[in-house]
Amino acid sequence: MAARTLTQYLLDVGRPDERRNDYTHILSAVAVTMKLTAAMVSRGPLILDAATQAASPTRRDVNRALRRLTTKTLLAQTEDIEPLAAISVAGSQAIRPVSPTGRYLLLFEGLHGVGNLADNLPAGSVFSVLELPPHDGPVTEQDFLQPGTAQVAAGISLYGSRTVLVLTTGTGVDGFTLDRDVGNFVLTHPQLRIPAEADVFSINAADAPHWPAPVKRYVEECVLGVDGPRGHDFKMRWNASALVGAFRVLNSGGLFLVPDTGRTSGWLAPVLHNAAPLAMLAEQAGGAASTGGRRVLEVVPGTLDERGPIFLGSAGEVARLERYVEEHEQGRDEEFEHPLFHNRTLFAD
């Protein structure tokens, strides 16, 4: 049987509920944007014009150009889509209207983890589709401020050794690989399921002195491995990208952790443009995503750029982290010691 392409896949989106089929043009436009972005990313500094290249551009010049071109590409691909009311692009407060009769909203981050590109590591794109609440007048910021449970579709794409697209329309998660020979995404990972058990966790160790106590407890137990309470060894992975972390979780399970360190310089996940679509993918693949105290999908942001913690991965691992948070809040972990995070190691409090 011939491999199923994304185009064929999208023709079936909405069946037997044909009412949902009217946002497939949005998904198709996003997929085309991702294909074009993959081509631009693969060129690196060559994407700049000759005059800029002659001036020895910095990585910031390249990254800025790629971000700008990705956004420009998305807007060009979506400008005539009647069902699309408006777009919110990560990092911008501007609401970009598309169709006055549209019933959907699109949230998009064109290049997440763009700093990885200078080291030839993966970067990615992430998107989310919401229904426009009924009202009169132009689309406003308030229309986008919906809980993640309101999403009708979400997905990510990674630009690495191969370009992959992971997509959900509310009926599971499917993974596609870009076949450059034919110029189309091909279904290669149907109905992805996050493994219930895994030996991988991902967290930024540079923030260790500032992790909340429940996170320190979780990480210490993993680091202790077979000699600790978990009874087996764990591997730690970190690529400074929520999209890479989410993709690894979808394939290999485990837990991706972005805790609130309380530092103004710390990175937290943008709720609308990152956390909500990643949480939808995780839950649709049998996993979970939490802030530590509640489902990420239940969070209603107050602004377009609101950020928060996210713990995403295998349902059991997320539940364990939530339990540690609850026990800490109730003072029931007071006797638990964290030797890895005191002055006996580099993880100094």
Side-chain angles (χ1 to χ4, degrees):
M1 179 181 294
R4 191 180 185 199
T5 67
L6 179 63
T7 301
Q8 294 168 325
Y9 176 92
L10 292 178
L11 289 174
D12 291 332
V13 171
R15 297 178 183 174
D17 181 7
E18 294 297 337
R19 188 181 74 84
R20 288 176 26 190
N21 204 35
D22 56 352
Y23 63 77
T24 56
H25 288 115
I26 301 172
L27 300 183
S28 179
V30 169
V32 171
T33 299
M34 290 173 167
K35 287 191 287 186
L36 295 174
T37 299
M40 291 187 289
V41 167
S42 70
R43 298 191 65 208
L46 300 178
I47 200 68
L48 302 173
D49 58 42
T52 307
Q53 289 183 35
S56 300
T58 65
R59 66 171 65 184
R60 178 172 295 183
D61 294 327
V62 176
N63 293 348
R64 185 185 300 116
L66 286 170
R67 285 184 184 275
R68 184 177 64 250
L69 289 171
T70 299
T71 299
K72 184 178 180 180
T73 299
L74 175 76
L75 297 179
Q77 293 298 321
T78 56
E79 62 181 354
D80 295 322
I81 298 180
E82 190 276 333
L84 180 58
I87 301 171
S88 170
V89 176
S92 173
Q93 294 297 312
I95 303 300
R96 304 167 191 265
V98 178
S99 170
T101 59
R103 56 175 296 198
Y104 295 102
L105 304 172
L106 174 64
L107 296 117
F108 186 77
E109 181 175 8
L111 275 178
H112 174 91
V114 69
N116 285 339
L117 295 177
D119 298 319
N120 208 27
L121 296 172
S125 301
V126 55
F127 73 92
S128 172
V129 179
L130 298 165
E131 284 200 70
L132 174 66
H135 71 89
D136 296 324
V139 176
T140 67
E141 174 181 349
Q142 189 63 38
D143 295 314
F144 284 88
L145 305 182
Q146 303 182 45
T149 52
Q151 296 173 109
V152 298
I156 62 174
S157 185
L158 284 182
Y159 314 114
S161 57
R162 64 187 187 280
T163 296
V164 295
L165 167 62
V166 181
L167 171 69
T168 180
T169 59
T171 55
V173 176
D174 293 294
F176 301 81
T177 301
L178 180 61
D179 186 339
R180 299 182 187 277
D181 292 338
V182 300
N184 207 343
F185 283 104
V186 176
L187 181 64
T188 51
H189 297 77
Q191 292 298 290
L192 278 167
R193 301 295 293 176
I194 295 176
E197 298 182 1
D199 59 357
V200 180
F201 70 98
S202 302
I203 191 170
N204 184 6
D207 289 333
H210 309 284
W211 290 338
V215 173
K216 289 183 177 182
R217 176 182 176 183
Y218 179 89
V219 173
E220 178 180 10
E221 291 183 352
C222 292
V223 172
L224 289 175
V226 70
D227 298 319
R230 300 301 299 271
H232 62 93
D233 292 329
F234 284 78
K235 297 185 288 289
M236 181 177 175
R237 300 286 185 267
W238 180 251
N239 289 88
S241 167
L243 271 61
V244 173
F247 185 75
R248 179 180 294 116
V249 160
L250 288 167
N251 281 279
S252 305
L255 188 63
F256 174 77
L257 304 94
V258 179
D260 186 351
T261 63
R263 308 177 74 198
T264 56
S265 60
W267 186 87
L268 291 171
V271 175
L272 287 170
H273 296 90
N274 274 195
L278 297 183
M280 183 179 184
L281 287 168
E283 290 198 5
Q284 285 292 317
S290 172
T291 65
R294 63 188 300 196
R295 287 173 70 204
V296 168
L297 292 182
E298 294 176 348
V299 175
V300 181
T303 62
L304 280 175
D305 58 359
E306 182 173 320
R307 294 170 176 262
I310 182 172
F311 304 100
L312 178 147
S314 302
E317 296 302 303
V318 174
R320 176 183 290 269
L321 193 283
E322 288 183 318
R323 175 164 60 86
Y324 289 176
V325 171
E326 181 181 7
E327 290 178 357
H328 178 71
E329 291 175 347
Q330 296 175 353
R332 292 192 286 125
D333 66 340
E334 292 179 347
E335 297 182 0
F336 190 89
E337 297 181 356
H338 307 284
L340 292 178
F341 305 100
H342 290 109
N343 56 16
R344 283 183 286 175
T345 76
L346 60 86
F347 295 115
D349 278 335

